[in-house]
Amino acid sequence: MKYLRSVRGRMLCIAFVPGGALVVVALVIAFLLVHQANRTRDGAMDMAEAAGRTARAVVDLQGQRSEAMSAPDQRTAAYANFTQRIDTAIAGLREYARHAPDAESAYQQTTAVELLSVAEGMDRSDSLALAGIDGVTRRPFTEAVAAYRAELDRIAPQLTESGRIAYESLTRSADWSRLAAAEDAFAAAEPLPIPESTWRSAAYTVSQQLGLLYSQQSQYAVQLTLDDGRRTLAAAIAASAALLLGAALLLVVVRRLVARVPVPVVPIMVPTMQAAIPRPRHARSRRPRVPEPWPMKAVLDDLRRR
């Protein structure tokens, strides 16, 4: 039984092992990075949906709070009930922001949530003022006004460039000054320094500007997360393509180098089975006989001739 082994074939097999391993590694890395990119994109979409859903819920609860507080006998209970529900909704949105895919996205989303809290603080104080400030509600009103003003000043340096411009435009506007004058008058139990219609118009404008500031920051945070997901996906495709290309080049180079190696196909002879089988007795070749010594007569005859 005979068989052949090719030295070049062995060399190609040795080259295919690291090349195949490199291809497997490329596929695994591509799968992991694509999975991470999809998770980042899904997280950004979930955050955008949660932000929009929470903002709508907060606006609805604020309207219900204002309506419920119009009844004097239900004012305190309605304020506490709806305020707690709004705080719970904002806390849920804050929890979403904590699970952002990276630190920068989490930071920007948290800033957006704080802006929503500022808008709620302004509406909270405004609902108290609309219901009428008395000895019971003056303290919660003063605390709400001081809290949302201080929180807005604290968040301002964290905003984007466009956000800071909008913040400065809001705080320097006439509506902001009119609303601040009305709030200070309510806190000090003094009469309004401006007409009520002017106060209501200023309060509506400031509330709208705070809502726009929140929407702008929230959209920026979501877009930042989406961009991070796109970068992750692009990196996955680039890394996988580079690894696959490297593996292909490795195989091509090795194939050409092996083709130049002057190694012929080496046959390896294997003893056959017939060599181990004994031959029949009649088929054996005769052993060569040893030449017999010369006879003595021939020697004597030779001496006589001499």
Side-chain angles (χ1 to χ4, degrees):
M1 181 179 181
K2 301 180 180 180
Y3 65 96
L4 302 178
R5 288 184 180 178
S6 173
V7 174
R8 290 179 179 174
R10 292 183 182 181
M11 298 176 68
L12 286 176
C13 290
I14 294 173
F16 281 138
V17 171
L22 192 60
V23 171
V24 173
V25 171
L27 294 177
V28 172
I29 292 176
F31 175 79
L32 293 177
L33 291 179
V34 169
H35 181 66
Q36 181 180 357
N38 290 332
R39 286 186 58 187
T40 302
R41 182 194 59 191
D42 294 342
M45 299 305 297
D46 291 342
M47 183 63 193
E49 294 178 1
R53 184 171 59 250
T54 303
R56 291 190 296 270
V58 167
V59 171
D60 292 341
L61 290 173
Q62 287 173 348
Q64 296 175 20
R65 180 175 58 190
S66 297
E67 293 178 2
M69 291 179 64
S70 60
D73 55 340
Q74 300 178 355
R75 183 177 304 172
T76 303
Y79 176 80
N81 180 27
F82 285 101
T83 299
Q84 182 180 4
R85 293 171 62 182
I86 292 174
D87 290 341
T88 301
I90 295 176
L93 187 59
R94 188 177 289 108
E95 189 66 22
Y96 263 98
R98 292 177 181 175
H99 293 85
D102 56 82
E104 181 63 22
S105 299
Y107 177 79
Q108 297 297 337
Q109 290 173 359
T110 301
T111 302
V113 175
E114 298 302 330
L115 284 173
L116 181 61
S117 179
V118 168
E120 156 57 15
M122 183 267 162
D123 188 86
R124 184 179 303 179
S125 62
D126 189 64
S127 62
L128 288 172
L130 277 176
I133 303 297
D134 54 18
V136 177
T137 60
R138 181 165 286 107
R139 181 177 179 182
F141 172 81
T142 304
E143 292 177 350
V145 170
Y148 93 78
R149 289 181 183 178
E151 190 69 11
L152 184 61
D153 292 338
R154 184 187 67 82
I155 297 173
Q158 304 174 8
L159 301 177
T160 61
E161 183 177 357
S162 59
R164 287 192 295 270
I165 293 174
Y167 162 78
E168 293 176 358
S169 176
L170 172 62
T171 54
R172 294 176 181 177
S173 64
D175 291 322
W176 179 268
S177 299
R178 293 165 185 163
L179 178 61
E183 291 173 342
D184 294 340
F186 282 123
E190 297 176 355
L192 279 175
I194 56 176
E196 184 176 353
S197 60
T198 304
W199 164 51
R200 297 311 308 150
S201 176
Y204 177 80
T205 302
V206 171
S207 178
Q208 291 294 316
Q209 292 299 319
L210 288 176
L212 290 176
L213 192 60
Y214 158 73
S215 299
Q216 180 181 355
Q217 180 67 27
S218 179
Q219 292 174 3
Y220 174 77
V222 171
Q223 188 62 40
L224 187 68
T225 307
L226 289 175
D227 292 341
D228 181 70
R230 294 190 185 97
R231 287 192 298 269
T232 304
L233 182 60
I237 296 175
S240 303
L243 289 175
L244 291 175
L245 181 60
L249 290 177
L250 175 63
L251 295 178
V252 171
V253 170
V254 171
R255 185 184 181 91
R256 292 188 176 183
L257 291 177
V258 170
R260 295 182 180 182
V261 175
V263 179
V265 175
V266 180
I268 299 179
M269 305 302 295
V270 179
T272 61
M273 297 297 296
Q274 296 179 356
I277 301 176
R279 299 174 61 186
R281 182 179 299 274
H282 65 273
R284 294 180 182 178
S285 59
R286 296 181 179 181
R287 296 178 181 177
R289 296 180 178 179
V290 180
E292 297 179 356
W294 289 352
M296 184 60 66
K297 183 179 179 181
V299 176
L300 295 176
D301 292 342
D302 185 63
L303 291 175
R304 289 192 190 101
R305 294 190 193 98
R306 294 180 181 176

